[in-house]
Amino acid sequence: MYGKCGCLEDAEANFKDMVLRDAVSWNTIIAVYAYHSQGENALQAYRMMIEKGFLPDEATFLSILSVCSNMGLVEEGKKHFESMSKVYGITPSLEHYACVVNILSRAGQFDEVEAFIKEQKLSTHALIWETVLGACKLHGNLDLGETAARKLFELQPKEDSAYVFLSNIFASKGRWDDVQKIRVLMSEEGIKKEPGCSWVGVDGQVHVFVSQDGSHPKTEQIYAKLQDLKQRLSFSGYIPKTENVLHNISSREKIEHLWHHSERLALGLALISASPGMPIRIFKNLRICEDCHEVMKVISYVTSREIVIRDFKRFHHFKLGSCSCQDSW
């Protein structure tokens, strides 16, 4: 519970206070560390689990393989995957295979990814191609990205993610005609993109924001706070990553668009409302963009505030100008 709420220290304290621990409790703390981008702690807990005589199971390896992917530990990831069947007699599930695909593809080893998919006969599974497509967006691999997206169009034609990822890859390459074609295709298929939103708790009440939101009663104060932060960050050397705005608009418009992303609006409300010094916890339904990630690092430094953001993959703990994920997510 504490781990899923973003309270890592409380989760650790409860685990350490346990008089008796079993495989489930070890799996839980390993998963919490993995979810909070605490890779070294997760691997250390895994080693301690083995030393204490507890056998890992399917859940253990999902966490460990996820950690290896996040940390770029390709060879260690392969070693743990092989140990599942050879050492512990565990038959890998589709999710474990997807973790290996993620490890290889996030490392940019796309030739090995394609060989692994063919060798393990994984080409009929949507989860595999979703994993590949996400990595293709990360690395800008248009050719394999198109292949993965077309596969997903066949396997799950009504899911929006494949269309959105492929559109974003086209946009990052400046191929706006292709972006428009994807939008037309989505319209013809009756597919709507899931809107990005962020929410934050203030005084026992949850406040939800979407990008460019102007509906909150304190919108004027929120925007003023963000404008103040924008000026402070410009003096610290922050340069907006306008390539993260996948719209065919001017550079100035892109900068304004970035400053009103939903997580920044949630942060603005928290900063004008929360008690000084208290950690700020924000939740987001989509992946945090690179520019917002950079901004949160700098804001955590200039305001001396810890900012915790959970996007759809993991928690990011921003503190004194750095993030727990070490800029890999």
Side-chain angles (χ1 to χ4, degrees), residues 46-242:
Y46 172 71
R47 290 188 286 267
M48 290 178 64
M49 176 184 182
I50 302 300
E51 291 173 3
K52 297 291 184 181
F54 295 99
L55 293 177
D57 58 17
E58 293 88 347
T60 318
F61 282 106
L62 281 177
S63 296
I64 292 303
L65 292 173
S66 174
V67 165
C68 290
S69 175
N70 296 341
M71 298 179 69
L73 302 176
V74 177
E75 294 307 316
E76 184 161 352
K78 290 179 181 178
K79 180 189 71 174
H80 287 301
F81 179 73
E82 291 175 1
S83 74
M84 287 182 64
S85 56
K86 293 182 178 179
V87 179
Y88 299 105
I90 300 172
T91 301
S93 67
L94 177 61
E95 287 75 15
H96 295 109
Y97 285 114
C99 283
V100 175
V101 170
N102 198 36
I103 290 171
L104 297 172
S105 57
R106 282 177 63 86
Q109 299 183 9
F110 290 108
D111 289 341
E112 194 167 348
V113 168
E114 293 184 87
F116 184 77
I117 291 173
K118 184 176 181 180
E119 178 186 344
Q120 301 296 337
K121 298 180 175 58
L122 301 171
S123 62
T124 59
H125 298 286
L127 177 60
I128 299 300
W129 293 112
E130 287 174 355
T131 304
V132 172
L133 183 55
C136 287
K137 179 180 179 296
L138 180 67
H139 288 278
N141 187 331
L142 182 56
D143 291 338
L144 185 55
E146 282 197 81
T147 298
R150 303 300 174 190
K151 287 282 188 180
L152 288 168
F153 293 166
E154 297 172 7
L155 295 169
Q156 45 185 31
K158 296 301 181 181
E159 290 291 327
D160 70 324
S161 57
Y163 298 89
V164 173
F165 272 120
L166 183 57
S167 175
N168 288 346
I169 294 174
F170 283 140
S172 68
K173 301 291 184 181
R175 292 174 52 171
W176 301 110
D177 289 341
D178 289 315
V179 171
Q180 184 59 31
K181 289 177 183 177
I182 294 295
R183 291 174 180 169
V184 170
L185 180 59
M186 291 178 70
S187 178
E188 291 174 348
E189 295 291 335
I191 299 168
K192 293 184 178 180
K193 176 185 175 183
E194 178 186 7
C197 68
S198 299
W199 57 99
V200 63
V202 175
D203 295 331
Q205 187 175 9
V206 175
H207 301 260
V208 182
F209 296 88
V210 296
S211 182
Q212 319 305 310
D213 205 332
S215 62
H216 195 277
K218 294 186 177 180
T219 292
E220 187 175 339
Q221 298 99 305
I222 292 170
Y223 275 55
K225 184 63 177 179
L226 292 177
Q227 182 63 29
D228 174 63
L229 288 171
K230 181 180 176 181
Q231 294 176 351
R232 293 177 67 181
L233 264 61
S234 65
F235 291 121
S236 70
Y238 157 71
I239 300 175
K241 298 178 182 291
T242 54

Side-chain angles (χ1 to χ4, degrees), residues 15-36:
F15 177 77
K16 291 175 181 177
D17 286 344
M18 294 178 70
V19 177
L20 296 175
R21 299 171 186 162
D22 58 10
V24 174
S25 53
W26 279 104
N27 276 346
T28 302
I29 194 63
I30 291 171
V32 166
Y33 281 136
Y35 201 26
H36 284 262

